[in-house]
Amino acid sequence: MNGSTLAYIGDAVFELMVRSYVLEHGSKQPDRLHKHATALVNAAAQSEMIGSILDELTEDELAIFKRGRNSSTVTSAKHQTVGDYRRATGLEALFGYLYLGRKYERLQELFKLGLERTDHDND
């Protein structure tokens, strides 16, 4: 699959992981859940997360990240830099790849490590 397609499914996977994490670790009030989730599901936060775990990726995972990052995108997110948006797309492609490959344990490992290293684990 191309990077954009992997990022498409990876975006949904990442969103679900964040929502599950927020429910387990945060307030149960909907407005606070939404605030916490949106702090994690944006290009800047995703870019920071991939930057924090890049050195932990296998060669195959790094290649998938780069495929997603370098995929041609017509638009970019509002209020985000192009660099952050491209790195976020790479992270989503990686998460899509791991999900479709049923590498759920590795997916959880990288997600948790990214939260810890970006200090989002304590929000």
Side-chain angles (χ1 to χ4, degrees):
M1 285 187 200
N2 69 42
S4 296
T5 303
L6 289 172
Y8 173 76
I9 190 69
D11 177 54
V13 170
F14 189 80
E15 174 95 22
L16 183 58
M17 291 179 78
V18 166
R19 287 180 181 221
S20 297
Y21 170 78
V22 168
L23 279 174
E24 291 171 11
H25 296 93
S27 169
K28 303 299 182 222
Q29 296 173 329
D31 62 324
R32 289 195 179 162
L33 290 171
H34 179 72
K35 276 186 176 180
H36 195 169
T38 56
L40 295 168
V41 183
N42 66 70
Q46 290 174 311
S47 176
E48 181 184 8
M49 181 180 279
I50 191 63
S52 75
I53 61 172
L54 214 47
D55 60 335
E56 302 295 329
L57 301 183
T58 66
E59 284 185 39
D60 288 342
E61 292 167 348
L62 185 60
I64 294 296
F65 161 73
K66 288 179 179 179
R67 187 188 313 170
R69 181 195 64 195
N70 297 335
S71 64
S72 61
T73 54
V74 181
T75 61
S76 63
K78 292 180 182 179
H79 311 293
Q80 307 292 330
T81 69
V82 173
D84 280 350
Y85 184 75
R86 292 172 68 88
R87 285 185 295 275
T89 303
L91 175 73
E92 291 170 349
L94 173 61
F95 276 39
Y97 165 79
L98 293 171
Y99 176 79
L100 291 173
R102 301 178 190 262
K103 298 177 181 181
Y104 307 126
E105 193 172 308
R106 179 65 172 160
L107 186 57
Q108 286 290 336
E109 176 186 353
L110 291 175
F111 181 74
K112 183 178 181 199
L113 187 60
L115 287 175
E116 290 169 356
R117 288 188 176 176
T118 58
D119 202 31
H120 288 290
D121 194 31
N122 298 320
D123 287 349

